[in-house]
Each structure stands twice: as C-alpha cells, then as structure tokens.
Amino acid sequence: MTKDFKEAFEKTKIAGGIASGALDEISKIIRPGISTDEIDKISYEYINDHKAFSAPLFYRGFPKSCCTSPNHVVCHGVPSNKILKSGDILNVDVTALKDGWHGDTSRMFKIGEVSIKAEKLIDVTYEAMMKAISIVKHGIFLGDIGSTIQKYVESEGCSVVQDFCGHGIGETFHKEPNVLHYGEKGTGEKIREGMIFTIEPMINLGNYETKTLNDGWTAVTKDKSLSAQFEHTIGVTKNGCEVFTKSNKID
C-alpha cells in the first residue's frame, strides 16, 4: 500500500469509527416511544463530542444530522417528532466528517417485537452487504458487486432498489464511482487498490420501485412494502478490502 493510500485509509477509518460509534450509542436508547428527532440529537451530540461534524447537516439543504428511514421508507428519511412503536423497523444513516475525511454507515434497528417477514428482510439485507464486501479486491469489476447482491437477494424472494447506489467517498462526501447494487458480473469499472467507496444495498420485500415524497428527500417504496438497508465504507486492498465503519457491537 502506498503512502497516499495509507493516509487516506487511516483518516477514513477514524471518521468511520466515529460514525459507527454514533450508531452504537443510538442502539442503547432505541425503544418504542422514542422519536426520530431524539435519535438525530444523539447522533449530532456523539459526533460533536468526538470533535467531528455531521456531514448530512445542511448538505444540499438537508435539515438534520442523520437520516432516519422507518418501515417503507427506503432512504433519506428526515428526523421529526414521529414516535416509533413496537413492530417498526428503522434504518439510521450517519456520516461523520473528521479532519476533512468522511465515514459513512447505516444500520437497521428493530423496535420492540417485529414480524417474521421484517426479521427476514433485515437478515437478507445484511447478508447481501457482507457477501458483496467479501468479494472486493483489486482487479474485480463494480458489476461483480451488483451481481453478487442481486442474485442473493432475488433468490430470497426480495428485490434490489435501483434508484440509489453506493458511492466513492473520502475528502468529498459523494463522488465517483457509483456502486450499483444490481448488475452483471464482469461489467463496469475495474476496482483498483486504494479506492474508497460505500456498499449500501437497499432491499425491499415487494417491488423494487421507489418514489420521492414532496419534501424532496424521503424515498419510499411505491407499493408500500417494507424496505431495509445496511451500509459500510470500505477501502480496496490488493487481496481484499478494509471495512472502516465496523461496529464494536455487531461486526
């Protein structure tokens, strides 16, 4: 690994650790009766306490410090006074900006007792992300990532959202390459050592189609089926990859 890669990896890992730590902190208070605004406050304070910034805050006009996406919300849900109830599932997406570098991660949370279908969706989504991460190394193609996710997810009777994708990240929040979560093996850009990007599959119980609500942010499933997402920021090495947003609690 060159010196340039090493510095980028080290700084992204620090930012990623703060983002992951915020999710660990949120996991301590997730329960029925809490509002998504309270979750946003905890995320903001944790990141601020670690001398970093919440990158989503004011990014392209986004009004909050993290995204909270319950049930049929696919992504970019805006925290509010909405109260979570038992049976809900929730994605919380956090990005920390530390010393000019970004770490981006999201995680699913179960609120009280959830349905068997919701449990399966969450398990399939996490497994899809991890299967994709396991194949990443210098020399494979971006299409290999999408193909791995799509084949597994569809074999489990779920669908892959196609309107949103993973992305390059570093000193810029979102940049090339776009990392699709569906596609054909052997297609797309060749992955090179030193690249840093997110893998963040959004998986639906029903159809893959989405629509964005009038707030300009909140994306939901068109058929109102449940949706789930997990996300890690990774760096490509010669023989694999390094996950920069590992949790002390689950990974």
Side-chain angles (χ1 to χ4, degrees), residues 29-77:
I29 55 87
I30 284 278
R31 65 185 187 282
I34 196 171
S35 73
T36 51
D37 258 343
E38 290 175 83
I39 291 168
D40 181 71
K41 183 172 182 282
I42 286 164
S43 175
Y44 173 83
E45 289 177 349
Y46 182 90
I47 291 171
N48 192 57
D49 287 346
H50 286 76
K51 295 181 171 53
F53 298 94
S54 294
L57 186 60
F58 309 132
Y59 179 75
R60 296 179 180 171
F62 191 77
K64 298 287 184 173
S65 296
C66 67
C67 298
T68 52
S69 302
N71 299 324
H72 71 290
V73 178
V74 175
C75 60
H76 304 156

Side-chain angles (χ1 to χ4, degrees), residues 74-75 125 128-129 132-133 142-154 159-167 177-184 197-203 208 228-232:
V74 175
C75 60
T125 306
M129 177 184 68
I133 288 172
L142 284 174
D144 300 351
I145 292 173
S147 175
T148 296
I149 291 169
Q150 185 175 18
K151 283 181 178 177
Y152 169 69
V153 166
E154 291 180 353
S159 65
V160 180
V161 170
Q162 299 187 10
D163 293 332
F164 302 96
C165 60
H167 53 90
N178 290 329
V179 183
L180 304 182
H181 302 117
Y182 63 96
E184 294 296 323
F197 53 81
T198 70
I199 297 178
E200 48 180 299
M202 285 148 269
I203 308 302
Y208 67 84
Q229 180 188 17
F230 283 90
E231 175 182 15
H232 273 317

